Amino acid sequence: MRKLILLLCLTLSFSAQAQNKKKPASTKQKSSVTKKKSAEVKPLGKEVMLETTAGNIRLKLYDETPLHRDNFLKLVNLHVYDSLLFHRVIKDFMIQCGDPKSKDAAPGVFLGEGDLDWTVEQELRLPQIFHRRGVLAAAREPDDANPYRESSACHFYLAWGKKFTDEELDKMQQRLDTLYGYRVKLTPEMRTAYKTVGGIPHLDGGYTVFGEIVEGLDVLDKIQQTATDDNDRPIDDQRILKAYVIKN
């Protein structure tokens, strides 16, 4: 299951190039995580440490996206991510993890189809939360099989992307207007971040961002530059050794 849709990437001519292998419709019945009211959610300051073969990545989870926050914390506490591979890495784009089958996968085996049997309701928080470099976001099934754009139970990605010029962002806005009917607008603050920090603006409006890297951006950079095969799997395994919640 190629959770992160590269259909968008192929239609938008940016540096991230990859083959889009689409998963057949699942035979499992999936149920969305029960929606919770977020208006009165108190800040919890939840942070998660990913100890990887390339170094440590410390994540801060957003209280503005409580469904994704709580789902991720549950999986971390259940040790779901321990020993999983970053099975899909695309330079100048992102690194992706979350396939349960990747834990004991042999070298060169195609990965990305493993998942858990539920989804998480989309939680967009634009324009405050968007795809700038270093954010944590949920991967998902393509629109044709997933019209409500619900997130995968366990697949996530860490955004790298590129830095954009004003001209490129103007063209990007036109693309977003076509895709989302003028619902997604690149604000001045977003444009400044995409020009100075970098990111993946064409995923705004389509995927839920629910956290960010607070330590270890250099580790993300190191992993996103690793050599990969034709399926975007790193030739030398890049693995989460252990994931755990950092106690306050």
Side-chain angles (χ1 to χ4, degrees):
M1 168 183 358
R2 301 312 296 264
K3 288 291 182 181
L4 187 61
I5 305 175
L6 282 207
L7 180 59
L8 291 175
C9 302
L10 294 172
T11 57
L12 306 174
S13 53
F14 289 101
S15 60
Q17 299 293 325
Q19 298 178 0
N20 183 28
K21 294 181 175 61
K22 182 176 161 186
K23 179 190 172 185
S26 174
T27 57
K28 294 183 179 179
Q29 181 67 32
K30 294 190 176 183
S31 58
S32 297
V33 172
T34 303
K35 185 177 181 181
K36 302 177 183 178
K37 293 182 180 179
S38 59
E40 297 181 0
V41 173
K42 296 181 180 180
L44 298 177
K46 295 295 185 182
E47 294 189 352
V48 170
M49 182 67 76
L50 304 180
E51 294 184 0
T52 82
T53 49
N56 292 350
I57 298 175
R58 182 168 180 162
L59 300 171
K60 173 185 176 182
L61 306 183
Y62 295 147
D63 291 312
E64 293 87 347
T65 51
L67 301 182
H68 286 74
R69 177 199 65 200
D70 293 349
N71 182 70
F72 194 74
L73 290 172
K74 176 178 71 174
L75 297 179
V76 169
N77 284 322
L78 290 173
H79 305 287
V80 170
Y81 293 117
D82 292 3
S83 298
L84 293 196
L85 296 176
F86 288 101
H87 65 271
R88 187 159 172 254
V89 172
I90 303 175
K91 189 176 185 297
D92 296 327
F93 186 31
M94 60 89 217
I95 66 174
Q96 184 176 341
C97 181
D99 185 347
K101 297 179 180 179
S102 71
K103 183 174 294 187
D104 301 312
V109 171
F110 172 73
L111 296 169
E113 295 186 342
D115 200 356
L116 302 177
D117 59 355
W118 70 85
T119 58
V120 183
E121 183 178 339
Q122 189 179 57
E123 294 180 289
L124 299 182
R125 298 295 182 261
L126 293 168
Q128 292 80 15
I129 298 174
F130 55 95
H131 278 85
R132 61 180 174 80
R133 179 169 292 173
V135 297
L136 165 69
R140 63 174 177 82
E141 291 277 18
D143 287 2
D144 55 357
N146 180 25
Y148 294 105
R149 301 186 177 117
E150 294 177 332
S151 301
S152 161
C154 54
H155 282 246
F156 70 88
Y157 59 94
L158 296 170
W160 185 260
K162 55 169 280 188
K163 294 180 182 179
F164 291 80
T165 65
D166 279 314
E167 182 180 2
E168 288 174 327
L169 290 174
D170 290 341
K171 292 180 180 179
M172 181 64 66
Q173 183 64 72
Q174 294 174 7
R175 302 275 189 170
L176 291 172
D177 290 344
T178 300
L179 283 171
Y180 301 117
Y182 302 94
R183 294 191 303 271
V184 178
K185 293 297 182 183
L186 300 178
T187 65
E189 292 77 14
M190 293 169 70
R191 291 175 67 100
T192 297
Y194 285 133
K195 289 189 294 183
T196 60
V197 178
I200 318 173
H202 68 270
L203 297 187
D204 287 335
Y207 300 81
T208 296
V209 176
F210 64 99
E212 65 180 80
I213 294 175
V214 292
E215 293 179 12
L217 195 63
D218 58 325
V219 179
L220 168 58
D221 186 17
K222 181 178 179 180
I223 296 175
Q224 67 95 22
Q225 294 192 60
T226 193
T228 58
D229 62 18
D230 291 340
N231 293 317
D232 303 317
R233 176 178 170 176
I235 294 173
D236 295 324
D237 285 347
Q238 305 295 318
R239 187 182 300 274
I240 295 177
L241 301 172
K242 183 179 180 182
Y244 54 90
V245 177
I246 299 173
K247 303 297 183 181
N248 289 335

